[in-house]
Amino acid sequence: MTLRPRAGVTMAEIVVAFAIIAFLTLALVHFFLRLSLGSAKGADQTVAFEYGEHLLDVAVGQSPAQWNTDEVVYALDSHDSSSQTTYYSRLSPLLLNPGDNAMGDLYRLDLEVWWWPQGSGAASTRSGMGRLSLRQHRSVFVENQK
Amino acid sequence: MKQPRGFSVLELVLAMASLAMLFLLLFTIFRVGSASYRLNLNRVGLQSEARRLQASLQKDLRETSYRSVSHRKRQITLNDPSLSVARDGLCFNALRSQNGVNLYEAQTGLPLWNSYLVYFATTDGAAGKLIRARVADPSPLNSLPEPLAAFSDAYLTYPGNSYVVQKDVKLLSTQVLSFSVELKDADQRVHTVVHLRQRSGAIGTGSRQGLENLELLFSTRPLNTWPKF
């Protein structure tokens, strides 16, 4: 007696096939969600850059005594309405010509802006988000007032 | 014994259920993918629009004198959601063209201001428009920058602004939630906050429409300012 190959598929095979398809679907949905988180990060970077430029512009217009070197916290909308991004910044002035200040002082203003989106639309974990900070610099020559 | 041909009802039901599940999964992928594409497209568009209007405003502001800058504060209240937002107006001296010897004072080289530029957000609903309009300078041609004495809400209308000259009106954005301006006399800077908002599809929230936001904060120093502080 010869065994004839069985036609069709068993229920177990169908279940396994669906499990594989469901896994692939989940992976694809996750990919699209990561894609939108990536574009949200781009929007955050745009806002952070302009915010950093603004802080440096303000600092350039001030005297060294007025420079605020504390951590500053500011919230701005940069993507969907269900989340708002909190921006943190710190200004670090560095005197480039110590002792050589007949005409004035040359400073380099280093500014670091970092951020974290908050709210229901934000990422729950930092994993895979990459660097969420920017460093900006400006050189400013402060003339002696005497 | 003859083998039965065709499918039983049970087999048909199982096959249809399997196909339905397969289509559901495929549809989910398609829906999330297209929503993600639309969201990213809107997000990039909003950023481009914000950068474009920022570039225009900063270029015009840098060419003027801080002495001529004046602004009007305006607020509107939105219903859904209940929110009070700024729709300010900004006005400053400008030149109709940078080319031409007669546009600069012979001895000092200072610009002979011959018009004003007005930037404002309209107050018509949640999605306001950001307008750049050139209006006539009622004072004689002079190099002394002065704020527009008659600057009022009448200058902040669109369309139908009778003060506009040479049909020089530009629509910079149609998605302005708020436009806020502050003058910082201490360091002669103009601080601006532009908040754009656009409806866009949200991923994973069913048919509910998400709102995409972008808020830019920037400051500009008018470079034709004299004396500088």
Side-chain angles (χ1 to χ4, degrees):
Chain A
M1 183 181 148
T2 54
L3 277 175
R4 211 175 140 203
R6 184 171 47 87
V9 287
T10 64
M11 186 57 90
E13 287 168 336
I14 290 176
V15 168
V16 169
F18 272 104
I20 292 170
I21 293 170
F23 179 76
L24 288 177
T25 307
L26 275 179
L28 273 173
V29 167
H30 179 72
F31 166 76
F32 286 126
L33 289 175
R34 298 298 301 180
L35 210 63
S36 82
L37 281 179
S39 75
K41 183 185 168 185
D44 284 340
Q45 267 175 334
T46 301
V47 173
F49 177 79
E50 293 305 332
Y51 177 56
E53 285 292 304
H54 165 76
L55 291 178
L56 284 172
D57 283 343
V58 170
V60 167
Q62 293 175 328
S63 66
Q66 293 173 305
W67 287 337
N68 182 9
T69 53
D70 296 334
E71 187 178 300
V72 177
V73 184
Y74 200 82
L76 286 165
D77 282 308
S78 55
H79 34 86
D80 52 292
S81 54
S82 56
S83 63
Q84 194 176 44
T85 304
T86 307
Y87 291 89
Y88 306 84
S89 61
R90 190 187 295 278
L91 184 74
S92 312
L94 177 70
L95 184 61
L96 295 176
N97 62 340
D100 179 22
N101 51 5
M103 300 288 285
D105 293 322
L106 180 64
Y107 288 91
R108 193 183 76 204
L109 300 176
D110 296 331
L111 181 81
E112 183 170 17
V113 181
W114 65 101
W115 63 89
W116 183 247
Q118 285 165 347
S120 59
S124 54
T125 169
R126 207 193 171 297
S127 165
M129 292 295 288
R131 192 171 166 168
L132 298 179
S133 66
L134 283 178
R135 285 177 189 274
Q136 287 158 275
H137 313 277
R138 193 78 64 86
S139 292
V140 54
F141 185 73
V142 182
E143 287 182 46
N144 281 343
Q145 296 299 310
K146 294 171 189 173
Chain B
M1 188 180 161
K2 198 178 169 189
Q3 287 286 319
R5 297 186 67 183
F7 303 105
S8 69
V9 173
L10 183 67
E11 284 170 336
L12 270 177
V13 168
L14 275 177
M16 284 174 71
S18 309
L19 273 176
M21 274 185 72
L22 195 66
F23 280 125
L24 189 71
L25 292 176
L26 285 175
F27 178 72
T28 305
I29 294 175
F30 177 74
R31 192 174 60 85
V32 173
S34 64
S36 172
Y37 173 75
R38 200 170 50 243
L39 182 75
N40 293 337
L41 208 64
N42 287 340
R43 201 165 266 168
V44 170
L46 214 56
Q47 283 178 61
S48 308
E49 193 162 310
R51 295 306 270 277
R52 224 172 25 244
L53 70 88
Q54 179 197 8
S56 171
L57 179 55
Q58 286 197 308
K59 178 188 172 292
D60 288 334
L61 267 173
R62 284 192 183 118
E63 287 173 358
T64 193
S65 162
Y66 185 79
R67 284 173 57 98
S68 74
V69 182
S70 58
H71 72 310
R72 288 190 72 78
K73 289 286 196 192
R74 300 194 301 177
Q75 289 273 335
I76 65 161
T77 305
L78 303 175
N79 295 328
D80 184 27
S82 184
L83 191 67
S84 180
V85 292
R87 297 281 170 91
D88 295 353
L90 183 68
C91 179
F92 49 88
N93 262 146
L95 286 174
R96 286 184 194 177
S97 157
Q98 270 84 38
N99 303 321
V101 197
N102 299 331
L103 294 173
Y104 301 91
E105 206 170 61
Q107 291 175 332
T108 61
L110 290 171
L112 294 168
W113 305 109
N114 54 14
S115 67
Y116 282 92
L117 279 176
V118 179
Y119 277 80
F120 64 96
T122 58
T123 52
D124 51 348
K129 300 176 187 71
L130 191 75
I131 307 291
R132 173 195 185 269
R134 189 180 296 280
V135 298
D137 187 351
S139 60
L141 216 60
N142 67 69
S143 61
L144 186 68
E146 286 173 0
L148 182 62
F151 187 41
S152 65
D153 282 355
Y155 282 82
L156 309 179
T157 56
Y158 176 85
N161 190 330
S162 57
Y163 297 98
V164 171
V165 291
Q166 297 177 326
K167 295 182 181 174
D168 194 348
V169 185
K170 283 183 188 165
L171 179 60
L172 297 174
S173 175
T174 54
Q175 298 165 131
V176 178
L177 179 67
S178 72
F179 176 65
S180 163
V181 179
E182 269 187 70
L183 305 186
K184 300 289 180 186
D185 293 338
D187 57 351
Q188 296 179 326
R189 285 188 173 278
V190 181
H191 287 202
T192 316
V193 184
V194 182
H195 190 156
L196 302 185
R197 191 170 74 172
Q198 185 183 27
R199 287 212 171 274
S200 65
I203 302 173
T205 53
S207 61
R208 192 170 155 265
Q209 288 285 297
L211 291 170
E212 191 63 25
N213 288 275
L214 190 78
E215 198 175 4
L216 279 192
L217 166 65
F218 54 92
S219 66
T220 318
R221 184 167 200 175
L223 298 177
N224 270 314
T225 303
W226 186 264
K228 285 180 181 163
F229 299 146

